[in-house]
Amino acid sequence: MAAEQTRQKLLRAALENFSRRPYAAVTVGDIARSAGVAHGLLSHHFNGKENLYAEVVREISRRLRAATNITADGSTSARLRRHFTAHLNFLADHEDAALNIILRGGEATDLAWETFEAVRHEGTRSICALLDLDIDEPGLRLAMQGYAAACDEMARQWLKDGRPLPVEALVDGFMAFLAGAIRAAYGLAPAPALRQALEELDHAAPHRRDTLQA
């Protein structure tokens, strides 16, 4: 029990430090002092700063997933919109962690990048499953990687600019990016499931089509 308490102290301290400053600016000593433990315990529990940072990426991602769980009620488009709204609200409520960890793509280390990519893929897999799409189809997987990167960059810039638009406007943007990704995947490898998903997303945004036509 004591060992687990020490581990959690280090994880909380690391999350706090990495949320405030870039990876390179945070030292093992900074984290140990914040946690109130001896320096050597960080290596004992996490085998070094790089592994601890990767665990921080996993931890903040677990919290994000818990806050944005796709519920089972309502239409597909309504469920997606609730998911995107919760995602953006979480980023806004945890802005430091969003800008320095979640939306940086785990860029500090190769291990953190691999962790980030695995987390991102899990998120796109959940969205594709909701649309009855197979994320392991090569064309769709490529398109969804671009979609995820575009959404992350939009959210990052939105936060950096002081949130100049309401969350609802960004949700519209996320929905448009998603439809665009599926349309691109259909262009790469046409499939009935992709067409059906596109029709569902297009049907969910009649006001957007009306605005463009006007």
Side-chain angles (χ1 to χ4, degrees), residues 34-48:
S34 295
V37 303
H39 292 197
L41 288 175
L42 189 150
S43 293
H44 173 73
H45 286 283
F46 293 98
N47 194 29

Side-chain angles (χ1 to χ4, degrees), residues 132-207:
D132 291 324
L133 299 175
D134 182 4
I135 187 64
D136 293 322
E137 290 293 331
L140 180 60
R141 179 164 184 159
L142 283 172
M144 290 300 290
Q145 286 175 329
Y147 150 80
C151 288
D152 281 353
E153 180 58 25
M154 176 183 274
R156 187 185 70 84
Q157 199 60 51
W158 176 67
L159 291 173
K160 287 184 67 176
D161 289 348
R163 306 176 216 168
L165 298 171
V167 167
E168 183 181 350
L170 265 72
V171 171
D172 287 340
F174 279 23
M175 294 291 284
F177 282 155
L178 179 58
I182 295 172
R183 188 169 287 108
Y186 186 83
L188 291 169
L194 292 170
R195 177 178 288 278
Q196 183 176 344
L198 270 176
E199 290 174 352
E200 184 158 7
L201 291 172
D202 286 343
H203 179 72
H207 63 292

Side-chain angles (χ1 to χ4, degrees), residues 6-16 18 31 35 46 52 55-57 59 62-63:
T6 299
R7 189 178 187 280
Q8 290 303 315
K9 283 182 181 179
L10 284 164
L11 186 57
R12 286 194 298 270
L15 178 55
E16 180 182 346
F18 289 130
I31 297 169
F46 293 98
L52 176 54
E55 185 57 37
V56 165
V57 172
E59 175 60 24
R62 281 192 289 266
R63 297 183 189 184

Side-chain angles (χ1 to χ4, degrees), residues 14-81:
L15 178 55
E16 180 182 346
N17 277 272
F18 289 130
S19 293
R20 293 200 311 262
R21 291 177 292 160
Y23 175 85
V26 177
T27 68
V28 169
D30 294 331
I31 297 169
R33 280 191 295 274
S34 295
V37 303
H39 292 197
L41 288 175
L42 189 150
S43 293
H44 173 73
H45 286 283
F46 293 98
N47 194 29
K49 175 182 164 183
E50 181 180 6
N51 284 285
L52 176 54
Y53 184 78
E55 185 57 37
V56 165
V57 172
R58 282 189 285 268
E59 175 60 24
I60 195 65
S61 298
R62 281 192 289 266
R63 297 183 189 184
L64 177 58
R65 285 199 305 274
T68 60
N69 186 42
I70 300 177
T71 57
D73 55 312
S75 67
T76 298
S77 59
R79 294 163 68 186
L80 283 169
R81 293 187 71 87

